[in-house]
Structures are given as structure tokens and as C-alpha cells.
Amino acid sequence: MVCEKEKVLRKISTSNARADGQKRDGPSRGKELVNLPQICPRPERAPVKRSVPPKRKEELRCLRELASGLRGELVGLGLEEVRLRCRNRTGGALWASRSLATCEVLLIIIPGSGSEYPGPWSTISFCREAGTESGSVLPYVRRATENGWGVALLCPNANVDDDGRPLAGSENPCSHAVSAWDDFLAKCSANTVLMVAHSNGGQAAIGLLCDRKDDLVKGARLKTVALLDSVHKSVPSHDTDVLDFCKTRVVDFVRSREPVGSYRPKPWAASNISGGCRCRSGGHVDHLGVPGAVKEVVFDHFIETLSPRN
């Protein structure tokens, strides 16, 4: 009996020891662990360098050459780049005549959207396709210079610096136009100011009128504005000074099938007023083609506005 009891006790103590060992050391050696695959982070892939097709490379080279050529033409016509200052920081830029300090008449040119380079009315690609006589501001600058006027070419689409940070005072075309006036153009000697603006530049021109109406409208420095198929929708109706000025002194040369300069370009426009401004035909059905088609009529309008009877 004693022997049997000892066997039972020995069995119990052995099983307890095994249980204690399993608690301390984990599962018994008899049961193998399943080795799970280790998940490793994916190695960082180097950015894929996409090769530019030779045809596209050649196209980009031609566009850069055109942009450089336009800058050279502007310099040859007596313009130089002027850096603006806003909130004690360097802002955007404009191109101005060297004679701006002494000129009696100032022509402000505001291109549309599409190019941050100085010179094109819209995109540099359209300027290349249509030629600089139709796609750039050069004919307008040349004609104004021949008339003895000072010229200020705004760059409303250059809104960021080389690091991609917004330029102070030139965050958008409207703010650029206001900064150009406050920092530079308002100080010039000209008592007679003319303005021509294409496409989205028309929106910037209307914004400048509203923001600086005391100097431009009430002060009678601004004589007329020629919009070249502007994209603005309306003039603030609550501002009667600007509203009256736009109805009498602003002309929008819109795209139309009618002969260039026609006073009925939009038969459906009541009293020939659209967007709060008088309308005349831009002589072209293409929005981008209006500046090139209407330049002679625009300068005839300027000369007529400056005549003594007006």
C-alpha cells in the first residue's frame, strides 16, 4: 500500500513540476511553434525619371527661346523690369518705360491668364502659333512708344517665387494690379492714364477701378479702358461712381463675327451694354485672337478719347 501511495505522489509531483515549467518556459518542447513570416517594410523606391520625348524637348526649347526673345524686344523698346515692394517684402514685377518719370500719358497693359512670362497676351504657345504681332503685346508697346507715351506692362500671372511661396501683394492678378498702382504707377508724373486689358486681365482692371476709384475715377486720371474680350461678368452695382464710369468710359471689344469696331457686336445685348460696359466688335470669333485683330481700332479709340473735344 505504501508503495502504491508513493507512486501516486511521485506522479502528482512530476505533473506539477511540468506545469510549473511550462508556465515559466512557455510551451513544452514537444509542441513546436509555428514560425510566422516576418513582415519587413518595403524598401523606398527611387523616383522614376520619366524621359521627355525628343519632340516635346524641342518644343519646350523653342518656347523658352521665344520667351527670351520677347524680353529682349521689350528691352529694345525702352522697357525695364521693376520689382514691387509690399509689406516690406519683395513682391511681383512689372515692365515699365524708362521715361515713366517724365511722360504725360501712361498706357497700362494687363495681359490675360496663361503665361507668367512678360510679353504674351495669353499663353506662350498661342503666341508662337499666331506670331508675336497677333499673340503678344509688342505691337501695343511699339505704337504707344511711337506716340511718346509711357508704358507699364503688368505681369499678373507671376504669383509665386522660385520656392513656390506666394509673392507679397501679387498673390493673384487683382492684388498684383493694385500693388503695381500703389507701389509704382501712382507716383509717375502722367496725369492721363489709359488702360488696355485682355481676358482675365479685364477682371483685374475692373478690380483696380473699384479698389482705387478715388485716384483713378474721381481723380480723373484714368481717361478710358479698352477691354479685349474681358471675362468679367459685371460691375459692382452698389458703386455708382465705378458703374457710371464703366458705362461711359470703358469699352469691351468682344469676339464677334461683325466687322472690327462695329457698335452692334451682340444684337441681344440691351442698349449694347454687356458686363456693365459698352461693347464693340473685336473683329475675331476666337477669344485669343481678339487682341491682334483689334489693335488699330483700340488706338483710334485712345486718340479720340484724348482729343480736346473729349
Side-chain angles (χ1 to χ4, degrees), residues 207-288:
L208 179 59
L209 292 185
C210 295
D211 289 346
R212 296 297 178 266
K213 69 174 183 178
D214 290 342
D215 199 4
L216 290 169
V217 178
K218 290 183 177 181
R221 291 186 74 182
L222 183 62
K223 304 304 181 184
T224 187
V225 179
L227 301 178
L228 311 181
D229 206 26
S230 173
V231 298
H232 81 282
K233 299 299 181 184
S234 63
V235 178
S237 57
H238 63 276
D239 198 327
T240 55
D241 293 321
V242 175
L243 195 63
D244 292 342
F245 182 87
C246 288
K247 285 182 179 179
T248 57
R249 291 287 182 174
V250 179
V251 179
D252 191 3
F253 292 89
V254 298
R255 61 182 181 271
S256 172
R257 296 185 182 277
E258 298 298 320
V260 61
S262 169
Y263 287 89
R264 291 293 292 172
K266 292 184 176 183
W268 61 88
S271 303
N272 204 32
I273 298 291
S274 179
C277 309
R278 292 179 296 157
C279 291
R280 293 180 67 180
S281 171
H284 208 289
V285 294
D286 183 8
H287 172 69
L288 300 181

Side-chain angles (χ1 to χ4, degrees), residues 7-39:
K7 287 180 182 180
V8 173
L9 291 174
R10 196 177 293 120
K11 232 181 232 189
I12 292 172
S13 62
T14 303
S15 62
N16 288 340
R18 286 179 180 172
D20 291 339
Q22 287 180 1
K23 287 179 182 178
R24 289 193 307 268
D25 303 332
S28 62
R29 292 182 181 178
K31 296 181 180 179
E32 296 181 359
L33 289 174
V34 178
N35 292 324
L36 296 176
Q38 186 177 2
I39 301 176

Side-chain angles (χ1 to χ4, degrees), residues 15-177:
S15 62
N16 288 340
R18 286 179 180 172
D20 291 339
Q22 287 180 1
K23 287 179 182 178
R24 289 193 307 268
D25 303 332
S28 62
R29 292 182 181 178
K31 296 181 180 179
E32 296 181 359
L33 289 174
V34 178
N35 292 324
L36 296 176
Q38 186 177 2
I39 301 176
C40 299
R42 288 184 178 181
E44 294 184 2
R45 293 184 179 179
V48 179
K49 294 183 179 180
R50 300 186 183 276
S51 59
V52 181
K55 187 176 180 180
R56 179 58 178 165
K57 280 185 180 179
E58 178 64 17
E59 182 180 357
L60 292 174
R61 185 188 65 79
C62 292
L63 294 179
R64 284 193 294 267
E65 285 185 358
L66 176 58
S68 177
L70 288 173
R71 293 171 70 98
E73 291 278 357
L74 292 174
V75 172
L77 290 170
L79 273 65
E80 59 186 2
E81 187 177 22
V82 177
R83 276 289 166 185
L84 302 174
R85 297 284 297 176
C86 181
R87 299 187 292 274
N88 295 322
R89 293 167 53 194
T90 301
L94 58 84
W95 285 71
S97 300
R98 300 184 185 96
S99 61
L100 211 61
T102 58
C103 66
E104 296 181 359
V105 179
L106 168 64
L107 174 63
I108 300 174
I109 303 175
I110 310 179
S113 57
S115 175
E116 61 183 26
Y117 300 112
W121 276 117
S122 52
T123 65
I124 190 74
S125 298
F126 177 78
C127 184
R128 181 191 176 196
E129 294 169 6
T132 56
E133 288 299 306
S134 297
S136 81
V137 303
L138 292 180
Y140 287 73
V141 176
R142 191 180 301 116
R143 179 73 179 273
T145 303
E146 291 171 356
N147 291 347
W149 303 346
V151 178
L153 171 60
L154 273 57
C155 301
N157 304 308
N159 309 126
V160 296
D161 60 17
D162 294 337
D163 298 323
R165 295 172 298 188
L167 289 169
S170 295
E171 296 86 356
N172 55 65
C174 290
S175 63
H176 173 77

